Amino acid sequence: MRSSQVAMTLSRVLLLALMALAPVALGRLQPWETLALLLTVSVSVFLWVVVARRRLHLLQNPADYLLWAGLLLCVAACWRSVSLYESLLALALMLSGLLVFALARQALAEDFWRRLGWYCLVAGAAAAGLWGLREYLAQAHLAGQTSWRAFGSFYNPNCLGGYLALLLPVPIALVLGAQTRSRTPAPPAASPGKRKRQPEPEPEPAPRYPEIIFASATLILGLGLLVTGSKGGLLAALVGVLLFALLGAGRDTRMGRLLRWASLGVVLAAILAALFFPPIHNRLVTAFSSQQSSSSFRVWTWKAALHMVAARPLLGFGPGTFSRALPAYALAGYTRQAHQTPLQLASENGIPATALFLGGIAATLWILGRRAGRCELAPRLLVGAAVGAAVGFWVHNLVDYTFYLAAFQVGFWGVLGLAMTESAADSPAEQEAPVSSATAWSVAVVSVLLTLAAGIGLASEINLAAGRELARMGATGLARQRLERVLPLNAYRWAELSRLEERDAQAGDPQSLQRALDLRRHAAALQPTEPSHWLSLGRLQLDANDLKAAEETYRHCLELQPTSTIALAALAETLDRQGKHEEALATYRRLADLYDTPVRTAQAVEFFIDESYVFAWLALGRDAAEHGDYRRTAQEAQKAIETADAYLNAQKGFQEVLGMAGQYDPQRLEKVQRAAEEAHELQDSARSKQSARP
């Protein structure tokens, strides 16, 4: 019995630790985060079911059947995945979220543990909010960048804003729920003998420490949300708070009226922040200016995602493979996510799986809404906060992708799981009979397999990260040892090994070039729709002076991504080297024609400068000079100069960030610099010849 109690406690502690630490540790959109989450959840399930022999109900109501049926269809979607490893990671993420949901309902069913669950969620969000506030203060007051958008512990400011918006209703509910506590009675005074009875003193009010703590957390989350400058996060917070005000208390009660007035105050505060607070004010102002590409970029990406859904409506391209399948349908600049989660889920998993999964979430929220009206005030406040938070979360995911971060899988499903327990009328799960031996053995096998898979995958990702860092430092031998320990199913193992062989080939080893080609072909076989592998393969074929093979590779790359400016520039250069000058010039014109399209004007990152246009305008300028059109020569050369200068300045300004991401290429910079110098010479020559004309 004692070992059972210890296992139950350990399982709960692991889950509570996840809730508290997820927003500060699992918000970077890295594969290892998903594996770490699955590892922790699998161990927690093993302790709860196998060691403690307690039940873990995965199918308690019709909504659960929809959720798990949707997940099973996502598994089926792996059959035609364009990147199997990434599909397995996406499935691990979704599975982890559903297991967090089940554990929160069972392991935290007792009042004490359930309260700790709410507190850990709020504490984690407050820590992330403080991280963002500290970053903003450092940039605003030390560096003078008052418009800085805080990233905090997340992948980008929108993700930090989304997490703070998700949890914002919870501390408000805890503050209001603390008001329902009964007053603490004073101890009775002793009255010896027949002494006259003294009147009993008035009961002393309970300490206000909980209200102070949760009010402070609310303030931290609200201010942290504002310094992210996230428009979607602010909208999600407003929706969440307003819905909480409707569900958190009855219409004709004093608390209900208080909530409605408070929600109006929140709306007013949001309007004032939009008018006067620099991060969110600047974002809202630029949303309506001609310089802002964020909104138009999203619209073009959604159109591309709709084309993807139409291409594979039943099973999609495979879970987690949006970025691999998008290039063939892309209408705007590069992106890893669709910035619209339902569309991305449909494009990856197909319409049936998406409908079942989202239907399960909607059914869960409907159940909570029905239960809220039957709860007492304090639980009703928390259930209303959970429904508001969940709806706000999906409002945000109509314009962003926070569902795909491991931290949100813990926060979102943790909130729903605690709310289901908070509103449940039945007894806690611990009072149920222990599970049967057959169930325990089945769960043991599954949880052990999941734990081993997550552990092996996590070790593989650590080796991949270490190999990349060692390669960046020049320790080629050590980097190769680490990379050879990466799972063979991971395409980036072969891509990184190919880069190492390419580096050795540049140092004079003739055999390394062929090995680099073979390794890159292996990476392309694992991710056949990923253009970057084919671009690298074409570059290696150029190094091997196999111009015909390089031409075929670049043409295949353009079949995968017709709007790839890099592939167009590389193909034109390859054709030029083969003496196919007219065909090369036509390819350069095709590239230049993309300049005024959403491919350039609608970028996810506004400061991104595509240097490929430099080579197109330089070639067009040379052609104009050969035909004696010096005016057009000067114009084309000027475009090349301006784009080259913008690219070089951006690369230098973001050198540290680009270097950390492995995107800083000194050789590419030298090539663009030489092209800029040639453009200057071409422009000067054209102007002198034009002025020399009578």
Side-chain angles (χ1 to χ4, degrees):
M1 179 61 71
R2 183 175 178 82
S3 62
S4 175
Q5 292 295 328
V6 171
M8 289 169 63
T9 302
L10 287 176
S11 176
R12 288 161 165 161
V13 168
L14 281 176
L15 182 59
L16 293 173
L18 266 181
M19 291 179 171
L21 297 177
V24 296
L26 303 179
R28 294 291 183 182
L29 202 61
Q30 294 294 325
W32 70 264
E33 296 173 346
T34 295
L35 295 165
L37 174 59
L38 179 61
L39 179 65
T40 307
V41 174
S42 300
V43 172
S44 183
V45 169
F46 181 85
L47 291 170
W48 183 259
V49 179
V50 179
V51 182
R53 302 295 292 272
R54 311 311 303 176
R55 294 185 184 275
L56 185 66
H57 292 297
L58 301 179
L59 302 171
Q60 286 186 325
N61 53 61
D64 294 335
Y65 286 92
L66 292 175
L67 290 170
W68 287 98
L71 181 63
L72 288 177
L73 280 184
C74 291
V75 174
C78 290
W79 174 53
R80 298 182 64 192
S81 175
V82 297
S83 179
L84 183 58
Y85 181 75
E86 290 176 312
S87 289
L88 294 175
L89 285 175
L91 289 175
L93 185 67
M94 297 176 71
L95 175 62
S96 299
L98 292 181
L99 290 177
V100 167
F101 184 43
L103 278 169
R105 288 188 293 181
Q106 304 291 137
L108 305 181
E110 287 185 350
D111 184 69
F112 171 76
W113 293 104
R114 187 170 64 250
R115 293 292 162 183
L116 280 183
W118 290 118
Y119 299 163
C120 286
L121 285 173
V122 172
L130 285 173
W131 190 328
L133 286 170
R134 178 181 176 274
E135 176 190 334
Y136 177 77
L137 290 174
Q139 294 293 330
H141 294 284
L142 298 181
Q145 301 182 38
T146 57
S147 297
W148 178 264
R149 300 181 62 204
F151 287 68
S153 54
F154 281 83
Y155 177 67
N156 70 28
N158 292 335
C159 297
L160 173 59
Y163 197 88
L164 298 179
L166 170 66
L167 269 298
L168 183 59
V170 176
I172 301 175
L174 291 171
V175 170
L176 297 174
Q179 303 295 320
T180 65
R181 296 172 301 163
S182 60
R183 292 177 176 269
T184 304
S191 53
K194 298 181 179 180
R195 189 177 295 176
K196 186 177 180 180
R197 183 165 184 164
Q198 300 291 330
E200 292 185 4
E202 289 290 329
E204 297 179 0
R208 297 293 183 182
Y209 302 135
E211 289 94 322
I212 295 172
I213 292 172
F214 297 128
S216 300
T218 303
L219 182 63
I220 291 170
L221 267 61
L223 291 176
L225 171 59
L226 292 179
V227 300
T228 65
S230 173
K231 297 175 289 186
L234 184 61
L235 177 61
L238 289 175
V239 170
V241 171
L242 291 174
L243 191 56
F244 165 52
L246 293 175
L247 295 176
R251 291 184 178 181
D252 300 326
T253 63
R254 178 176 176 274
M255 185 64 74
R257 291 190 292 272
L258 176 63
L259 278 176
R260 286 191 289 274
W261 281 108
S263 64
L264 291 177
V266 170
V267 172
L268 179 61
I271 293 173
L272 291 174
L275 291 175
F276 300 108
F277 200 63
I280 192 68
H281 170 75
N282 292 345
R283 290 273 294 166
L284 289 172
V285 169
T286 55
F288 301 100
S289 72
S290 60
Q291 303 300 317
Q292 178 69 9
S293 63
S294 176
S295 299
S296 60
F297 159 76
R298 281 172 164 79
V299 172
W300 287 107
T301 303
W302 298 341
K303 290 180 180 179
L306 285 172
H307 293 159
M308 293 171 64
V309 174
R312 291 192 182 184
L314 293 180
L315 293 178
F317 290 87
T321 61
F322 178 81
S323 63
R324 308 302 168 201
L326 175 66
Y329 304 89
L331 302 172
Y334 169 79
T335 180
R336 293 175 62 184
Q337 309 291 340
H339 295 264
Q340 220 271 22
T341 297
L343 263 181
Q344 183 165 340
L345 287 172
S347 66
E348 293 176 345
N349 307 290
I351 295 175
T354 304
L356 285 172
F357 193 77
L358 295 182
I361 294 174
T364 301
L365 295 176
W366 182 80
I367 291 171
L368 286 173
R370 289 285 301 272
R371 287 183 179 182
R374 300 192 294 265
C375 293
E376 295 181 358
L377 181 56
R380 179 170 181 171
L381 287 168
L382 286 168
V383 174
V387 174
V391 173
F393 169 79
W394 282 103
V395 167
H396 191 199
N397 272 267
L398 293 178
V399 293
D400 240 312
Y401 53 88
T402 55
F403 181 82
Y404 283 84
L405 275 73
F408 283 86
Q409 292 292 321
V410 178
F412 174 73
W413 291 112
V415 164
L416 286 187
L418 289 172
M420 292 291 284
T421 303
E422 195 78 46
S423 62
D426 50 358
S427 59
E430 300 85 66
Q431 305 304 321
E432 299 177 2
V435 297
S436 64
S437 297
T439 302
W441 275 106
S442 301
V443 174
V445 172
V446 174
S447 58
V448 167
L449 289 176
L450 289 176
T451 302
L452 287 174
I456 293 171
L458 186 58
S460 172
E461 289 295 332
I462 291 173
N463 283 319
L464 179 60
R468 283 173 168 169
E469 182 62 22
L470 288 168
R472 189 181 68 83
M473 297 169 59
T476 305
L478 293 174
R480 187 175 283 107
Q481 292 177 10
R482 284 300 192 103
L483 291 171
E484 287 173 351
R485 299 175 192 169
V486 177
L487 288 173
L489 196 59
N490 190 339
Y492 290 103
R493 164 185 173 161
W494 310 103
E496 294 297 329
L497 286 171
S498 177
R499 288 192 182 97
L500 292 179
E501 296 294 345
E502 184 179 358
R503 184 179 300 178
D504 290 344
Q506 292 172 352
D509 184 357
Q511 301 299 322
S512 295
L513 183 57
Q514 185 58 47
R515 288 196 294 268
L517 283 164
D518 294 339
L519 290 166
R520 183 60 73 168
R521 288 191 184 97
H522 201 143
L526 290 171
Q527 291 179 339
T529 60
E530 173 53 48
S532 65
H533 296 312
W534 299 99
L535 287 170
S536 297
L537 182 61
R539 189 185 67 251
L540 291 169
Q541 289 166 338
L542 284 179
D543 292 342
N545 205 31
D546 191 349
L547 300 180
K548 187 64 178 177
E551 179 186 344
E552 293 176 358
T553 298
Y554 287 134
R555 290 190 185 280
H556 178 68
C557 185
L558 286 169
E559 291 175 1
L560 296 175
Q561 186 179 8
T563 59
S564 174
T565 58
I566 300 175
L568 284 169
L571 175 61
E573 181 182 357
T574 305
L575 292 169
D576 213 9
R577 288 174 60 175
Q578 294 181 81
K580 303 177 181 179
H581 303 300
E582 290 301 321
E583 196 172 351
L585 193 61
T587 305
Y588 278 127
R589 287 197 184 98
R590 179 180 166 188
L591 169 57
D593 289 341
L594 293 175
Y595 186 78
D596 292 322
T597 69
V599 173
R600 182 195 67 87
T601 59
Q603 296 284 346
V605 181
E606 294 176 32
F607 58 78
F608 173 77
I609 307 296
D610 190 343
E611 78 281 11
S612 301
Y613 298 105
V614 175
F615 307 106
W617 281 316
L618 184 59
L620 294 176
R622 290 198 208 101
D623 178 67
E626 290 175 2
H627 288 81
D629 190 348
Y630 299 119
R631 180 181 178 184
R632 188 163 65 87
T633 300
Q635 291 174 346
E636 302 289 0
Q638 182 62 32
K639 293 178 183 177
I641 293 168
E642 291 175 353
T643 305
D645 289 344
Y647 171 77
L648 294 171
N649 291 332
Q651 289 285 308
K652 292 173 183 176
F654 295 95
Q655 179 177 351
E656 183 178 353
V657 176
L658 292 169
M660 293 174 62
Q663 301 295 321
Y664 186 78
D665 186 356
Q667 293 182 348
R668 190 68 173 173
L669 262 67
E670 292 177 6
K671 186 175 182 179
V672 174
Q673 183 66 53
R674 290 195 299 270
E677 293 172 357
E678 184 178 350
H680 274 290
E681 294 175 359
L682 189 63
Q683 185 183 57
D684 293 341
S685 175
R687 286 175 175 173
S688 63
K689 292 178 179 179
Q690 189 176 10
S691 61
R693 283 181 173 178

